[in-house]
Amino acid sequence: MIKRLFFLAFLFPALTAFSQDAQIKSSVPNVEAKVDSVLALMTLEEKVGQLVQYNGSWDLTGPASEVGNKEKEEKLKKGLVGSMLNVLSVDATTKAQKLVMENSRLKIPLMFGYDVIHGYKTIFPVPLGETASWDMEAAERSAQIAALESVAEGVNWTFSPMIDISRDARWGRIMEGSGEDPFLTSKVAVAKVRGYQGDDLSDPKTIAATAKHFAGYGFAEAGREYNTVHVGENELHNTILPPFKAAADAGVATFMNSFNDLDGTPATASEMLQREILKGKWDFQGFVVSDWGTIAELVTHGFARDKKHAAEIAIKAGSDMDMEGRAYETGLVELVKEGKVDEALIDEAARRVLRVKFKMGLFEDPYRYSNANTKTELDYDKHLREARDIAKKSIVLLKNENELLPIKSSVKKIAVIGPLADDKDSPIGNWRGQGEANSAVSLLEGVKSAVGKDVKVTYAKGADLGIGRRSFMIPLKINTTDKSGFEEAIKKAKDADLVIMALGEDAFQTGEGRSQVNIDLAGVQQELLEAVYKVNKNLVLVLFNGRPLEISWSAENVPAIVEAWLLGSESGNAIADVLFGEYNPSGKLPVSFPRAVGQEPLYYNTKNTGRPTNPVEVTYSGYGDVEKDALYPFGFGLSYTSFEYGDLELSSEEMDENGEITASISLTNTGKIAGKEVVQLYLRDMVASTTRPIKELKGFEMVELQPGETKEVTFTITNDLLEFYNAEKKWTSEPGEFSVMVGGNSVDMKTETFRLN
Ligand code: NOJ
């Protein structure tokens, strides 16, 4: 009986799609029964169709599709496409959806995916920058706003959050993730999933999210894009997978697999990742979309003989949807007919896709995300105000000698110098959604609108980045010679009370296909900096970048350094808020900054080795020419006020597996102004069945204090914080001694120990 009802719902969608009939409400709990009833009606070709994703060819984000537009249209009409990517606007998505709803036999609605990475129209800081806020409400809110702006353009599925742990500043995509730490990235993953999806996927103000790239992509060898990944099981489980597990537990609708080879098996072909772990141990109910063309690329990897073989391997491994690879649509039907692929595997993959579509409410109303009114209801000005707020929280103060910052009212002449000073495009960053080119508030604009009439602001570009806007993955060419702008810059610097220099990277220096072996200030920027510094030492360096940069000279010489990432639409205003003390900086680095690029990959949660550095043999487990530690460590960031930590106190020296202990510390604002500090908790398992990192972030809390105020910060340590993937391949804790460390960054901490019984 149930089957018949659903059957009717699909054959006569006009009668039922918009009706209030409880039988077809996506919010009722019998999604599985509905999925079954649809599956029962589908031909093999239609089921395979659900596993095919086409690009809307007007906005390619990968190698050009072989499928002509006409052919795509025909496939849509026959119901042989499950979803599309890069189809933007209510008109375009309505048009594509109509092709399916008005022509196909079963009228199974499409999903529309897009890379909404750090905003759709209103652009927020790049993810690495936003993570520096350590503010999970902010991370959730920016995703929520991105979702609102996406659905206003018919997009109902984002390929975000990108939660690849990366320890290598050379890798261009380090900008898209949350840095080097699994705990912090897991928190961001949950915040993002909540922000995009809300509590109810069928709410037309939410979009489906994607946890990507599963898995290991951020460990590309030598930071070279798409490179082979060599990690052992221990590293995979303890470092790479935790954010994905957190996203799965938070109910993320979809996963995306990744381009890379993981220890001999391309991730797209990995049964271990997709079937055993994701769909097996983690019981993930959504579907896995391939990354662009990764199924077909199994041939290039030398893992499949041809596309058809690639389709066979990928479907068996658990890749459910083929993004623009054309391997599934050309291979799967034949493979089933030849008996090489069990039809049950196709059913399973199609079931997963249908399940998500039901949960999104698409069967109820295929046009629910293509509503022209949604856009007019949005308050884009408010979104910009929120973007400014999040951007200022993402800024990290790296150095502030003699309290040069915030800029004092005695400063009457400011020279703003550098190739990024009046750049309205770079702060928008890569993966900018529909954020308009040149739409950011530049630093110069921000400074000008922050100062009073009695302050004179001058500007000189000084040098060109020499990079310009490039199309997808064209090699980077940097102008390294033109110094004709130096003279003017030096003159203006000489004439100023204070210089603000804007240096770093352009919008497209990080992102996909943007790996670099040099991570210093590119082109002639370093020379410009030194030339300007020679004539005016009251210098504030503002960095624009999507990756940690090598800035050892600046750290040594420049009195004030502000890490401003690529902060999005409101960049210049947010930076000015910090420079002029409107906002007291509270950001902390989510990634280690190296002394030299040769230290990469660099990360704080290393293992000890058998020969950790000691004061005599300084090169043990280090280098002969440069210290082995970070220039600016993970978790580091200054404030305009100062904080003093009291003694660390544990509630007990022992803990049972089912018990808990607390770690408390007092924090006092010893400076003259109110400020916020991110108090961080790190743990170390001293002896275990596998070697363990010397410290791992396990908690953090943002504390706001008035001058002179003291607060007690308390972390509760429970068994789950002590668990890891051990020698027996179990996620568990092991009895023994643990070290507890609390402080304002991953280096300066108070330490105590306890025993787990
Ligand atoms: C390739 C990228 O790796 C992935 O992150 C993105 O979502 C897809 N292209 C679609 O644009």
Side-chain angles (χ1 to χ4, degrees):
M1 176 61 185
I2 288 176
K3 269 192 181 168
R4 265 206 62 217
L5 273 174
F6 294 135
F7 177 81
L8 287 174
F10 289 105
L11 284 190
F12 304 104
L15 282 179
T16 55
F18 303 99
S19 87
Q20 293 306 302
D21 184 347
Q23 295 285 359
I24 57 157
K25 276 267 189 190
S26 61
S27 46
V28 296
N30 58 349
V31 167
E32 294 311 310
K34 294 181 199 175
V35 170
D36 281 342
S37 71
V38 179
L39 265 179
L41 302 174
M42 294 171 83
T43 63
L44 174 61
E45 284 75 7
E46 284 164 340
K47 285 184 277 194
V48 169
Q50 286 305 303
L51 314 184
V52 171
Q53 182 179 66
Y54 278 162
N55 182 51
S57 45
W58 47 90
D59 186 1
L60 285 171
T61 53
S65 160
E66 298 161 30
V67 191
N69 282 346
K70 195 75 218 147
E71 191 189 337
K72 281 182 185 172
E73 216 174 291
E74 287 313 309
K75 290 268 169 65
L76 285 163
K77 284 184 182 165
K78 289 185 183 145
L80 299 180
V81 181
S83 75
M84 296 194 77
L85 79 154
N86 297 332
V87 180
L88 309 175
S89 84
V90 164
D91 277 359
T93 50
T94 305
K95 203 173 136 201
Q97 197 73 291
K98 272 191 175 167
L99 289 175
V100 174
M101 300 312 293
E102 292 174 5
N103 299 286
S104 67
R105 193 176 76 93
L106 294 179
K107 307 176 197 317
I108 300 176
L110 294 166
M111 285 167 71
F112 294 100
Y114 187 49
D115 291 289
V116 185
I117 307 297
H118 52 113
Y120 185 91
K121 183 165 183 290
T122 305
I123 302 300
F124 297 91
V126 294
L128 186 66
E130 191 184 73
T131 304
S133 71
W134 293 57
D135 184 333
M136 297 307 116
E137 270 172 38
E140 183 172 337
R141 182 63 188 144
S142 67
Q144 210 171 52
I145 293 172
L148 289 172
E149 294 186 1
S150 300
V151 290
E153 300 290 348
V155 170
N156 53 31
W157 177 23
T158 176
F159 304 128
S160 168
M162 191 276 228
I163 47 178
D164 297 310
I165 299 298
S166 178
R167 301 164 162 176
D168 201 325
R170 294 170 296 182
W171 190 50
R173 301 196 81 168
I174 194 169
M175 164 280 261
E176 289 174 54
S178 290
E180 71 194 40
D181 182 68
F183 184 86
L184 182 57
T185 303
S186 299
K187 296 286 176 206
V188 174
V190 172
K192 289 291 172 197
V193 172
R194 252 197 245 131
Y196 289 130
Q197 297 192 170
D199 303 328
D200 177 6
L201 256 190
S202 72
D203 179 343
K205 289 195 164 75
T206 66
I207 57 179
T210 308
K212 75 184 187 185
H213 305 86
F214 198 59
Y217 188 21
F219 276 60
E221 190 179 41
R224 182 157 63 76
E225 182 63 307
Y226 307 133
N227 209 2
T228 304
V229 173
H230 304 282
V231 293
E233 210 180 326
N234 185 282
E235 191 86 282
L236 178 70
H237 283 268
N238 286 311
T239 307
I240 294 173
L241 295 184
F244 288 100
K245 171 78 163 58
D249 288 347
V252 70
T254 69
F255 263 58
M256 183 187 290
N257 60 32
S258 59
F259 288 116
N260 56 284
D261 171 326
L262 179 68
D263 199 23
T265 306
T268 306
S270 174
E271 219 173 306
M272 178 265 286
L273 284 174
Q274 298 169 112
R275 288 211 184 277
E276 278 174 35
I277 297 175
L278 178 62
K279 297 175 179 178
K281 275 193 206 148
W282 298 354
D283 196 25
F284 173 66
Q285 297 295 311
F287 67 87
V288 180
V289 63
S290 81
D291 201 344
W292 185 295
T294 58
I295 297 176
E297 284 175 17
L298 294 179
V299 180
T300 330
H301 273 286
F303 201 79
R305 290 182 300 277
D306 50 32
K307 259 192 186 182
K308 190 168 158 188
H309 187 208
E312 180 183 343
I313 293 171
I315 194 77
K316 285 182 175 165
S319 293
D320 299 308
M321 186 180 277
D322 180 1
M323 180 191 283
E324 270 292 342
R326 292 205 82 192
Y328 278 5
E329 73 169 4
T330 53
L332 283 184
V333 172
E334 275 179 39
L335 284 162
V336 172
K337 288 188 175 153
E338 288 164 8
K340 290 188 180 140
V341 166
D342 189 340
E343 191 166 348
L345 286 183
I346 311 291
D347 288 358
E348 194 243 357
R351 167 177 286 117
R352 288 176 177 275
V353 174
L354 295 174
R355 185 183 286 142
V356 171
K357 290 182 175 181
F358 267 112
K359 288 189 175 167
M360 289 171 74
L362 285 167
F363 284 99
E364 234 177 19
D365 176 3
Y367 304 101
R368 73 186 313 145
Y369 300 96
S370 295
N371 178 353
N373 293 334
T374 323
K375 197 167 170 181
T376 53
E377 286 161 13
L378 289 185
D379 186 346
Y380 286 96
D381 288 341
K382 180 164 180 273
H383 295 176
L384 281 177
R385 287 196 296 278
E386 296 196 54
R388 178 172 178 166
D389 186 57
I390 293 173
K392 72 187 184 195
K393 290 175 175 162
S394 305
I395 293 169
V396 184
L397 181 64
L398 294 178
K399 190 177 173 192
N400 192 20
E401 230 170 53
N402 304 325
E403 298 191 350
L404 187 61
L405 291 174
I407 296 171
K408 311 286 171 298
S409 53
S410 54
V411 171
K412 297 296 176 205
K413 271 193 218 164
I414 300 175
V416 186
I417 294 173
L420 289 148
D422 199 25
D423 184 338
K424 292 172 67 61
D425 195 59
S426 290
I428 301 290
N430 205 336
W431 290 116
R432 51 179 58 190
Q434 289 299 295
E436 270 172 48
N438 296 310
S439 64
V441 176
S442 76
L443 175 60
L444 182 62
E445 289 171 329
V447 168
K448 279 186 174 164
S449 61
V451 296
K453 284 201 186 77
D454 60 332
V455 178
K456 190 175 164 208
V457 178
T458 61
Y459 160 71
K461 191 172 185 186
D464 210 327
L465 279 178
I467 297 166
R469 199 166 176 190
R470 288 148 293 136
S471 57
F472 198 56
M473 286 190 269
I474 303 296
L476 189 68
K477 287 207 181 65
I478 297 169
N479 172 358
T480 51
T481 54
D482 185 3
K483 298 187 206 162
S484 55
F486 276 34
E487 202 185 316
E488 190 198 351
I490 291 168
K491 192 165 165 272
K492 291 196 167 144
K494 251 189 203 162
D495 195 35
D497 300 335
L498 180 119
V499 179
I500 302 172
M501 283 201 80
L503 304 177
E505 300 184 316
D506 98 325
F508 297 97
Q509 231 168 306
T510 46
E512 189 179 354
R514 309 296 188 192
S515 292
Q516 287 179 202
V517 290
N518 295 308
I519 56 167
D520 52 4
L521 296 169
V524 294
Q525 294 186 85
Q526 181 67 32
E527 283 178 72
L528 176 67
L529 173 62
E530 292 183 27
V532 168
Y533 175 76
K534 235 185 219 163
V535 299
N536 194 336
K537 296 194 168 37
N538 277 336
L539 197 155
V540 180
L541 171 61
V542 179
L543 292 170
F544 292 75
N545 46 312
R547 59 157 60 83
L549 295 177
E550 190 186 309
I551 48 161
S552 287
W553 185 89
S554 305
E556 179 80 35
N557 297 286
V558 171
I561 307 176
V562 173
E563 173 53 70
W565 314 106
L566 303 169
L567 288 176
S569 306
E570 285 290 311
S571 171
N573 285 334
I575 300 169
D577 286 341
V578 165
L579 294 180
F580 293 96
E582 192 60 38
Y583 184 75
N584 185 359
S586 55
K588 300 273 188 179
L589 293 178
V591 68
S592 306
F593 272 46
R595 297 174 185 278
V597 66
Q599 289 177 289
E600 298 291 330
L602 180 68
Y603 53 101
Y604 82 94
N605 44 355
T606 57
K607 298 197 173 169
N608 217 15
T609 83
R611 295 185 167 188
T613 309
N614 67 46
V616 185
E617 305 284 354
V618 285
T619 63
Y620 269 14
S621 303
Y623 304 98
D625 52 349
V626 170
E627 291 97 309
K628 72 170 180 180
D629 62 343
L631 177 67
Y632 294 113
F634 176 84
F636 178 81
L638 301 171
S639 161
Y640 292 152
T641 190
S642 49
F643 297 103
E644 203 176 288
Y645 283 82
D647 290 335
L648 176 61
E649 278 172 28
L650 302 187
S651 58
S652 168
E653 286 173 5
E654 297 197 13
M655 177 182 143
D656 291 334
E657 202 188 315
N658 299 319
E660 57 178 50
I661 60 169
T662 57
S664 307
I665 201 160
S666 67
L667 181 71
T668 306
N669 180 347
T670 50
K672 294 190 191 75
I673 57 168
K676 289 191 252 177
E677 167 81 332
V678 181
V679 182
Q680 301 157 43
L681 166 78
Y682 295 81
L683 296 177
R684 176 177 178 189
D685 188 343
M686 299 306 288
V687 180
S689 64
T690 70
T691 53
R692 302 289 297 127
I694 54 171
K695 55 191 101 166
E696 289 181 294
L697 182 75
K698 291 293 175 182
F700 57 90
E701 198 180 314
M702 174 92 70
V703 184
E704 187 161 9
L705 293 173
Q706 296 304 313
E709 191 184 356
T710 299
K711 267 187 194 161
E712 186 90 348
V713 182
T714 300
F715 295 100
T716 302
I717 299 171
T718 44
N719 189 55
D720 57 309
L721 295 184
L722 313 179
E723 290 179 333
F724 70 110
Y725 188 79
N726 78 353
E728 285 167 20
K729 302 182 190 303
K730 279 197 197 122
W731 191 260
T732 183
S733 62
E734 293 178 355
E737 198 188 331
F738 285 81
S739 197
V740 183
M741 294 152 270
V742 178
N745 63 64
S746 61
V747 173
D748 306 308
M749 296 189 282
K750 301 278 173 95
T751 308
E752 279 298 331
T753 56
F754 73 92
R755 240 198 107 69
L756 176 70
N757 295 317

